[in-house]
Amino acid sequence: MKYYIIAGEASGDLHGSNLIKALKIQDDNADIRCWGGDLMQQAGGNLAKHYKELAFMGFLEVILNLNAIFKNIKFCKQDISEFKPDAIIFIDYSGFNLRIAKWAKSKGFKINYYISPQIWASREGRIEKIKATVDHMYVILPFEKEFYEKKHSFLVNFVGHPLLDAISNRTELNEAAFRSTNNIDPNKPIIALLPGSRKQEVQKMLALMLSLTNDFSEYEFVIAGAPSLDKEFYHTFLKDANVKFIQNKTYDLLSVSTAALVTSGTATLETALFRVPQVVCYKANWISYQIAKRIITLEYISLVNLIMQKEVVKELIQDDFTKENLKKELSSILHGEARANQLAAYDELITKLGGSGASALAASLIIENTKID
């Protein structure tokens, strides 16, 4: 069968790549065209558009790039029409994907949504658009099934979280070799810095994260460079001898880290699954933040706290994201009770998410539902 997959971010590229691998195992004749990144292409997808061309963060940034967004929408519709897939699979990236889904449904295409739009966080009214356009939804967070089925009478499939697949499929790391290759002190414990995957995020987050290096000189600070950004972009941040940089090796870095400072997003959950105590950070453009806080109704912003339904990791948001607060919270998770409490909560979190196999299960359901439809 022919599959058209749309992912618009680095996390979607990761999950899309594992889904492509599973589709190809279960369907020998799978012909896959996709929007995504290097990982999806390496897995066997024919790349129509790279997510690097799509990464606009925040309400103001979206407004400023409307012309590019409309061009991408036009190209996507044309590309789908020419490819004529048996099934379209949307991966998160709701602003773009729900618009394409509405059009694709009107043209008679089969609509699958893998990794739900976070309508439980904001703009819950989008449920009506989802009901009208999505044939099959595959959710990855345990509370999402109840949200859709009990609150909105929309049947969904809970397949488990694909991050468990991504992590379990890793080759075991040789820490000594990793440190040597990346010029990391063999004796200093590592504090990982995950400042985000978009330029706007990194520019707002990383300088403040790095302001702590002199206060924690016994630790090595290592920046996790995003695959979507060029190494040259980070050069301005690499002035301190106590700071190292690696790119596209975030999982390797987390596997050997003592603690982490993490920009809110999928990375908070990834850090937890590697059992690394963390402080969650978030600061947006002022206008974007003022809009967001009026439409987002959640008590927490990190996936860790949302899944656990309590504060497991400290969240420093907007005006709370200061050097003083960051220093205090980082100190608290390096030793003692706060560190032990986070690690214990991580064990509960992993149990809640269930085992690996989300990618294979989602692929089998997509194939089955496409044949039935």
Side-chain angles (χ1 to χ4, degrees), residues 57-243:
M57 176 193 132
F59 298 97
L60 180 60
E61 289 78 9
V62 168
I63 291 171
L64 294 175
N65 289 280
L66 279 176
N67 188 47
I69 292 170
F70 286 134
K71 283 183 178 179
N72 285 333
I73 289 171
K74 181 179 179 180
F75 169 75
C76 186
K77 291 177 179 179
Q78 181 180 345
D79 201 50
I80 291 172
S81 297
E82 292 175 358
F83 186 64
K84 296 181 175 59
D86 297 294
I88 301 176
I89 305 164
F90 298 100
I91 299 180
D92 199 3
Y93 197 52
S94 61
F96 184 88
N97 277 342
L98 285 176
R99 182 184 290 265
I100 297 298
K102 180 180 180 181
W103 168 84
K105 179 71 173 180
S106 72
K107 299 299 181 183
F109 292 106
K110 301 296 182 289
I111 309 300
N112 297 269
Y113 218 118
Y114 177 48
I115 306 179
S116 163
Q118 295 180 352
I119 64 169
W120 36 265
S122 66
R123 298 169 60 201
E124 194 170 330
R126 288 177 293 172
I127 183 62
E128 298 307 322
K129 183 180 289 187
I130 288 172
K131 283 183 171 182
T133 59
V134 176
D135 297 307
H136 303 285
M137 175 78 77
Y138 313 95
V139 301
I140 64 173
L141 298 172
F143 62 80
E144 289 179 320
K145 186 173 178 64
E146 181 175 351
F147 170 83
Y148 276 110
E149 296 189 347
K150 290 190 176 180
K151 189 171 184 180
H152 293 292
S153 301
F154 182 63
L155 295 179
V156 300
N157 297 280
F158 172 61
V159 296
H161 206 292
L163 280 180
L164 294 168
D165 292 340
I167 291 171
S168 65
N169 291 336
R170 291 179 64 251
T171 302
E172 187 173 351
L173 182 72
N174 182 314
E175 180 174 353
F178 175 79
R179 285 177 176 266
S180 176
T181 300
N182 294 286
N183 196 30
I184 298 171
D185 191 304
N187 300 311
K188 284 186 176 182
I190 294 171
I191 295 175
L193 305 181
L194 281 65
S197 60
R198 302 179 179 95
K199 284 186 178 181
Q200 299 99 320
E201 286 179 321
V202 177
Q203 288 166 340
K204 283 181 168 54
M205 311 303 299
L206 189 50
L208 186 53
M209 291 178 174
L210 289 172
S211 70
L212 300 185
T213 56
N214 290 333
D215 297 299
F216 297 88
S217 57
E218 69 273 31
Y219 292 87
E220 189 95 285
F221 285 74
V222 183
I223 301 168
S228 55
L229 301 175
D230 295 330
K231 183 176 180 179
E232 289 71 24
F233 169 74
Y234 294 92
H235 281 172
T236 184
F237 301 103
L238 299 175
K239 299 173 182 177
D240 194 313
N242 196 32
V243 178

Side-chain angles (χ1 to χ4, degrees), residues 14 141 218 239 256 305 342 346:
L14 171 64
L141 298 172
E218 69 273 31
K239 299 173 182 177
V256 296
N305 292 343
Q342 268 201 36
Y346 285 169

